[in-house]
Amino acid sequence: MDEHAKTVTWIATLRRARHQTRLRLGLVMVGLLLIGTGLTLITGPTMTAPMDVLRVLTGHDLPGTSFVVLELRLPRAILSILTGMSFGLGGVIFQTLLKNPLASPDIIGISAGASAAAVFAIVMLGWSGAAVSVTAVIAGLAVALLIYLLAWRDGVSGARLILIGIGISAMLDSMIAYVLSRAPAWTLQDAMRWLTGSVNGATLDQAVPVLLSLLVFGGILLARRGNIEAMRLGDDTAAALGVPLMREKVVAVMSAVGLIAVATAVAGPIAFVAFLSGPMAKRIAGPGRSPLIAAALVGALLVLLGDYAGQHLLIGRYPVGIVTGALGAPYLIFLIIRSNRNERET
């Protein structure tokens, strides 16, 4: 066998090995999701036998157990998975298009916009339920558009958009603090619980809009996966490959904003899930591969397992947003330190 044939064989073997590794990692993540869902359905103030859970899920009516599993625990697990997928997929789109791991919706102000509107609606207007959710979605979309317009200068620079987004986020955080300072005691608790990010009291009705947004916006993003990957190589390269840059960027960004806004409207701004999912997914997917599906799975794992840890593994009970915030804050500090070192070296 000549050297060329050996090289071709070696490359083919390497590709098969990478594909098998990614497949195994994907199966591991799906397995962890199933385990996390099972633990959520079994564990609570009273433990439920795994066989009883299986019987309930297969249609048997067990007094007491059916209510606990189907009305309390299953909606919580489903909402955790769906919101985590939305945050993970939306976050990786921003980080991919802007080519910066700091370009996450909860860093650049989109989540803060939805949060500010929701808190204003709860505290000042006395709204609740669907009205708060719709307000949060509209505000998230409006803030995203505002940041984009302010960052526009013969195109959008990723660094400029991030800086403007951080400034907008700081302003909105100040607004949230002001509204909370004026809040009466009977609405302050609701506002604070929403701001923390939580799937407490989840219902299947809450999961429906998140599922619909995943099917619509997530479907749009997955259908454009090839164009998104081309844009990650640079605008010039993508244009040379025939990608209509402006249209594809607008569609991708608005779809990502839709995912983030709907998930935030239902579960609150669960901290750092969008921020963490992208870098973890890119390591799992490997170079040259789309991280979109991996990011959705990582986001689902972060929320599902974070909620389980906050409810059952720590001293006391904490909303999932506190657990994911504790995970994400050190990574944010690490990224900032690494960026500063890179700038000094260059």
Side-chain angles (χ1 to χ4, degrees):
M1 183 181 295
D2 59 21
E3 290 299 324
H4 176 72
K6 289 181 180 178
T7 302
V8 171
T9 303
W10 178 78
I11 292 174
T13 303
L14 183 61
R15 285 178 176 175
R16 282 197 298 270
R18 286 180 176 176
H19 176 74
Q20 291 172 356
T21 300
R22 285 191 294 269
L23 181 61
R24 283 195 291 267
L25 287 172
L27 292 174
V28 167
M29 287 193 290
V30 172
L32 288 174
L33 279 175
L34 292 175
I35 292 171
T37 301
L39 289 173
T40 301
L41 297 180
I42 292 168
T43 312
T46 57
M47 299 292 289
T48 304
M51 289 306 300
D52 287 343
V53 171
L54 286 175
R55 292 174 65 192
V56 168
L57 294 178
T58 54
H60 293 82
D61 184 16
L62 303 181
T65 302
S66 294
F67 174 78
V68 170
V69 172
L70 297 179
E71 301 296 327
L72 300 181
R73 297 177 185 172
L74 183 61
R76 188 181 193 116
I78 291 174
L79 188 62
S80 296
I81 291 171
L82 293 178
T83 54
M85 285 185 169
S86 297
F87 284 121
L89 185 53
V92 77
I93 291 296
F94 277 91
Q95 291 167 335
T96 297
L97 294 183
L98 297 176
K99 305 176 185 66
N100 193 316
L102 291 175
S104 172
D106 43 8
I107 302 294
I108 64 175
I110 295 170
S111 297
S115 300
V119 169
F120 183 84
I122 292 170
V123 173
M124 297 300 188
L125 303 179
W127 293 355
S128 61
V132 175
S133 298
V134 171
T135 302
V137 170
I138 294 173
L141 293 171
V143 169
L145 180 60
L146 175 63
I147 294 171
Y148 189 84
L149 292 175
L150 291 176
W152 179 267
R153 188 182 302 166
D154 296 326
V156 175
S157 164
R160 185 164 63 242
L161 187 143
I162 291 170
L163 290 174
I164 290 173
I166 291 173
I168 295 290
S169 180
M171 293 171 59
L172 291 169
D173 287 342
S174 298
M175 175 184 167
I176 292 171
Y178 171 76
V179 172
L180 291 177
S181 70
R182 302 290 299 274
W186 58 87
T187 60
L188 180 60
Q189 186 174 359
D190 289 339
M192 290 301 298
R193 183 172 61 249
W194 194 93
L195 277 175
T196 303
S198 172
V199 291
N200 293 343
T203 65
L204 290 178
D205 289 340
Q206 289 177 313
V208 170
V210 188
L211 175 60
L212 291 176
S213 74
L214 264 174
L215 292 175
V216 175
F217 298 126
I220 290 172
L221 291 171
L222 291 178
R224 287 169 161 75
R225 185 166 48 179
N227 288 343
I228 292 170
E229 283 302 294
M231 288 187 285
R232 189 169 69 166
L233 300 175
D235 289 353
D236 293 338
T237 302
L241 293 172
V243 176
L245 289 176
M246 184 57 65
R247 186 188 71 189
E248 289 299 310
K249 284 185 177 182
V250 170
V251 171
V253 168
M254 295 310 294
S255 296
V257 171
L259 287 171
I260 296 294
V262 173
T264 302
V266 172
I270 302 177
F272 291 131
V273 175
F275 176 60
L276 290 171
S277 298
M280 295 172 69
K282 288 176 182 177
R283 288 185 175 274
I284 292 170
R289 294 285 180 172
S290 172
L292 301 191
I293 295 176
L297 292 175
V298 170
L301 277 172
L302 286 173
V303 177
L304 182 65
L305 299 182
D307 181 60
Y308 183 84
Q311 296 300 306
H312 305 296
L313 301 183
L314 303 177
I315 299 175
R317 291 177 178 263
Y318 300 96
V320 60
I322 291 179
V323 178
T324 57
L327 292 173
Y331 182 67
L332 176 60
I333 295 171
F334 165 74
L335 274 184
I336 293 172
I337 292 173
R338 190 177 69 175
S339 298
N340 289 336
R341 284 178 178 173
N342 291 340
E343 288 179 1
R344 283 198 298 266
E345 289 174 359
T346 55

